[in-house]
Structures are given as structure tokens and as C-alpha cells.
């Protein structure tokens, strides 16, 4: 097959004894986009890391243009034209755009000095090819995430990349930047670049992909041209079950208020916020990147400073800017940055699962091992964590399973919590993971038990279908939206100012 740019043969990989990839084979053709779909923890990121030389497989081979790549050698992969654009970008923020573009391959004068003028001129030519207006002299820190991403893509392709691996490139950028990204992907396809593109959005698959590859539980279950497969077939392949239970009926919400926020003024935003969450209710916050959804949840929980307002949980007032008091009153927060703010990667699953409710597992200063093992084990089973046991270090889990540890750590205690908040639960999750398993877990909080659930998402799609959504008005007030219409009527918070971290009450 002369047009095959990259081929993976029988790839297998396990982390901590838990299989993540089980003999996966696929081929990427030049001038085509292959969408890689699958639930959280299906093995997609591991597959990309093996293909780019970042991770050494336990079995199998990666070939570029028919030439086998040495295992676990990212430099060799780069020399053969394989580049990866990770979800978590890592540019050098304080360097200029042209410096980032040419890092490691700087242009020099005959005297051996850096030819900064030539690099800036060449950088502008490279960026002009993609039709984007970026000042090569600007520092990376000044650019929004979407433009940083395009600089990374330009750096890879200008360096001779024949294969580009894009890991959820649209997960943290605005709709305008998404359209710009689409144009760049189509341009690269015209230039003959082979691309593997992971995404959680079905419309994105339809807009860009030539083929769809679906992984489930580490195995390849579907590999078909995009025109030969329906959306329902893709989702069915991802979750391995029929779709009649895709959105189960929710129980009616209770009338008792679980969480009430009145006049909460978040530092960095000009107007106060009011909202109410009843027991058994899921209240969704929709809005674009920068709308203030994460900041609002953090302020309610107390990890971001608020300057005024009243927060009550089950009728009892919570001290502002005090996460400890929020926890005491029965609040839980699943942060947007699961790894950085939600889990301790150097600790094992049992210890991570114990941290949010350590006082429950101690007696006279001693840990009750049997009790916490039983409780944490049941909690991790409820989120379908795949590990070799509670003693496994979280950092050795696959990326998808690391994310499950955070809600799992709160799962058992949530039965006692009147209110819980989840910041961008869909980030880093694919459609089936967001819309079904995650929906079930959200429903477990908002199904008539003694809970209220406040969730937010950048786009309306990942919010539960029966959620009562909150609309962000121009005055910063949270206005309840009608269930049938709110998915398409979210407004942003007012113009953003520089946010400030919490500094105590």
C-alpha cells in the first residue's frame, strides 16, 4: 500500500499490569484524516504516544513509509516525520512565536549567530500559508490557546511532518478558533499530510474525517470509511451496548433547596450571581471558554476569592472563601484539572480515595484500614476504574483511568452531600463517555437522592438532556433556561478582568 504514511501493527501495552492496548492495528493514509474515537480509558492517548515514540509498546511495531521505527524513541519518530499535538500544549511561554517555531533548528548567519530577522520573516511565511494573522514577534503567553495550538501545528508541519497526531485539539478553544483549526486541517490534508484526530464531538468527525477508528477496552472494534457508518453505529461501537438507554428518564426533582447562591461577586467579574439548585436536580452552566463557569464553581466552593454574597447548603450558611467549611457543609468539587488539582499521582488509589473524607476512616488518630478499603473499593468500582488494585500508584494508570479516580474519590461520600459541583466534566472525554456513563454518574447525584448537582461545560452538548440549564446574562446574573431550549441559549458572563486566587475570608 504505497499511500500508507503510518502503520501500527499488533500494538499492545499495559500500565501497572492493566492492559490498555490489546493488539491494535491501523493504517493512516497520506492526505486523509482518521478520527480516533472511544470512551475514556479506551487507549487512544496511549496509541498516539506509542506512534510518536513517547511510549514503548509491550508488543507490536510502528512503521512510517514502510520503515520500522525504534520503540520509545521520539527523536527517531520526529526524524521520520511523525509529530504529535497533545491536548496539554507545552510551548515556551516567555519566548516569541518565531523562537518557538524554530526551536532546535534555529537559522544562523555566516558568523554562526542567530539570524532572528530571517527566522521572523520565515515564521510569517509559514503562518501565512495557514491564513492566520499572528505576529511572529509576539510572546506565546499573549496568544489565546487556539493560536498557540496553530503555532504548534505550524512548527510540526514546517519541520517536515508527514504524519500529524492531534489529541482533542478543539477541547479548550472557542468556536471561532475551532473554525480556524478546521481550515488548517483541511489545508494539511490537501498537502498530503496523514492525520489521526481524536475528538469527542460527532459533528467534528463528520466535518473532517475520511475514516473512523473506534477503540473499546483497549481493542479495535471498528475501522470504516466515514460514509459507511452512522452516528449511532459509532456510539454503539464505543459503548458496546444498545442506545435505548442512552438517556434514561430522570426522576422528578425535589422542592427542597440543596444549594442557594445570592449576590455572589466573583473577583475579576463585575456583576454578582444568583442561582438555586434543588435536591434531585442537575443544574447546568453553559458557555464558551472564558465565560466564567469554572471561576463561578471555584468561588462557590471557596478556592477562588469572592468579595461578597451569601452561599447556603441545605439552609445553612457557608463561609465564603473557605473550602474546609464548604466540605463540612456537604459540598464536593471535581476540578477541571483532574491531574493537577484533583489527584496526587505519586500516591496509590486507596490513599487518593481516602483524602476527601479522611476523618471518616480514623479513630483516635489511627486509620481504620478495613473500613476505608471497603468504602474506597466500592467507590472505584462505581466509576469502573481499571487497575490492578487499590495499591496501584495513580501515576501508573492510563490517562483515562487517572481521571476516574477523582470522581471515584467522592462517589461514596456523595451519598451524604447535599450539593456537588463538576467543572467541565466533558473535557478530555469522548461522546459516549460524556453522554452515557458520565450521565449515569451525574444522574446518581440528581435522581431524587439528597443531592443537587451543578455542572458546567464549554458547549451545551455534554450537559444532561434533562438538566435545567442556567443562562449567563450580560449583567452576570444566572437566569434559569427552559429545559428544551437552554442547550442552545447560553450567554457569556460580562467582560472578564484578571481573576484573583482565594486569599482567605
Amino acid at each position: 500500500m504505497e499511500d500508507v504514511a503510518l502503520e501500527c501493527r499488533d500494538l499492545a501495552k499495559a500500565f501497572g499490569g492493566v492492559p490498555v492496548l490489546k493488539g491494535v492495528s491501523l493504517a493512516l493514509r497520506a492526505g486523509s484524516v482518521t478520527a480516533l474515537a472511544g470512551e475514556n480509558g479506551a487507549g487512544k492517548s496511549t496509541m498516539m504516544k506509542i506512534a510518536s515514540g513517547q511510549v514503548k509498546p509491550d508488543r507490536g511495531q510502528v512503521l512510517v513509509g514502510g520503515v520500522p521505527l525504534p520503540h520509545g524513541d521520539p527523536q527517531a519518530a520526529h526524524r521520520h516525520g511523525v509529530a504529535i499535538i497533545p491536548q496539554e500544549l507545552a510551548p515556551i511561554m516567555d519566548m516569541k512565536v518565531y523562537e518557538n517555531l524554530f526551536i532546535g533548528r534555529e537559522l544562523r548567519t555566516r558568523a554562526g549567530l542567530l539570524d532572528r530577522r530571517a527566522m521572523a520573516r520565515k515564521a510569517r511565511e509559514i503562518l501565512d500559508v495557514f491564513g492566520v494573522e499572528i505576529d511572529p514577534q509576539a510572546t506565546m503567553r499573549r496568544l489565546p490557546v487556539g493560536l498557540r495550538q496553530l503555532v504548534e501545528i505550524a512548527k510540526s508541519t514546517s519541520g517536515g511532518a508527514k504524519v500529524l497526531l492531534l489529541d482533542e485539539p478543539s477541547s479548550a478553544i472557542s468556536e471561532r478558533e475551532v473554525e480556524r483549526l478546521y481550515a488548517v486541517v483541511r489545508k494539511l490534508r490537501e498537502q498530503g499530510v496523514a492525520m489521526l484526530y481524536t475528538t469527542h464531538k460527532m459533528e467534528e468527525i463528520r466535518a473532517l474525517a475520511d475514516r473512523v477508528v473506534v477503540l473499546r477496552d483497549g481493542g479495535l472494534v471498528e475501522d470504516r470509511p466515514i460514509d459507511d457508518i452512522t452516528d449511532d453505529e459509532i456510539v454503539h461501537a464505543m459503548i458496546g451496548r444498545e442506545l435505548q438507554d442512552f438517556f434514561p428518564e430522570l426522576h422528578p426533582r425535589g422542592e427542597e433547596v440543596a444549594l442557594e447562591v445570592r449576590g455572589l461577586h466573583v473577583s475579576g467579574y463585575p456583576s454578582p450571581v444568583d442561582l438555586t439548585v434543588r435536591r434531585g436536580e442537575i443544574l447546568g452552566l453553559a458557555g464558551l471558554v472564558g465565560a466564567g463557569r469554572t471561576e463561578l464553581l471555584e468561588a462557590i466552593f471557596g478556592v477562588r476569592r469572592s468579595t461578597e454574597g451569601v452561599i447556603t447548603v441545605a439552609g445553612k450558611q457557608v463561609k465564603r472563601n473557605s473550602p474546609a467549611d464548604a466540605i463540612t457543609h456537604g459540598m464536593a468539587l471535581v476540578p477541571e484539572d483532574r491531574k493537577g488539582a484533583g489527584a496526587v499521582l505519586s500516591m496509590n488509589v486507596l490513599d487518593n480515595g481516602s483524602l476527601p473524607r479522611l476523618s471518616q476512616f480514623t479513630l483516635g488518630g489511627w486509620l481504620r484500614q478495613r473500613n476505608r478499603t471497603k468504602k474506597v473499593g466500592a467507590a472505584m468500582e462505581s466509576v469502573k476504574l481499571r487497575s490492578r488494585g487499590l495499591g496501584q500508584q495513580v501515576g501508573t494508570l492510563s490517562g483515562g483511568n487517572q481521571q476516574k479516580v477523582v470522581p471515584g474519590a467522592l462517589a461514596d461520600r456523595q451519598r451524604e452531600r447535599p450539593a456537588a459541583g463538576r467543572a467541565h466534566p466533558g473535557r478530555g472525554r469522548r461522546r459516549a463517555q460524556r453522554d452515557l456513563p458520565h450521565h449515569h454518574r451525574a444522574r446518581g447525584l440528581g435522581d431524587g437522592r439528597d443531592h443537587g448537582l451543578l455542572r458546567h461545560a464549554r458547549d451545551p452538548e455534554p450537559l444532561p438532556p434533562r438538566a435545567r440549564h442556567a443562562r449567563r446574562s450580560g449583567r452576570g446574573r444566572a437566569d434559569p433556561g427552559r429545559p428544551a431550549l437552554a442547550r442552545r441559549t447560553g450567554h457569556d458572563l460580562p467582560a472578564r478582568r484578571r481573576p484573583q486566587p482565594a486569599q482567605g475570608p
Side-chain angles (χ1 to χ4, degrees), residues 482-503:
R482 290 179 291 174
L485 299 178
R487 302 190 71 183
R488 302 299 175 194
T489 57
H491 299 299
D492 292 345
L493 271 172
R496 184 176 183 175
R497 293 201 300 260
R498 185 181 181 86
Q500 301 174 5
Q503 299 176 357

Side-chain angles (χ1 to χ4, degrees), residues 13-21 39-46 217-218 338-339 342-343 345 349 352 380-381 383-389 392-409 428-430 433 441:
K13 180 65 180 178
F15 288 103
V18 179
V20 177
L21 286 181
E39 288 192 272
N40 212 26
K44 301 171 299 302
S45 293
T46 300
D217 296 330
R338 309 291 196 269
K339 293 182 181 181
L345 301 186
V349 175
N352 271 274
M380 296 304 164
E381 185 177 347
V383 295
K384 295 180 172 57
L385 179 72
R386 298 178 65 223
S387 69
R388 66 169 184 266
Q392 183 173 353
Q393 189 178 22
V394 172
T396 65
L397 297 171
S398 67
N401 282 296
Q402 287 178 9
Q403 290 188 9
K404 293 180 183 179
V405 170
V406 182
R429 296 177 180 268
R430 280 68 181 179
Q433 177 69 9
R441 289 196 288 274

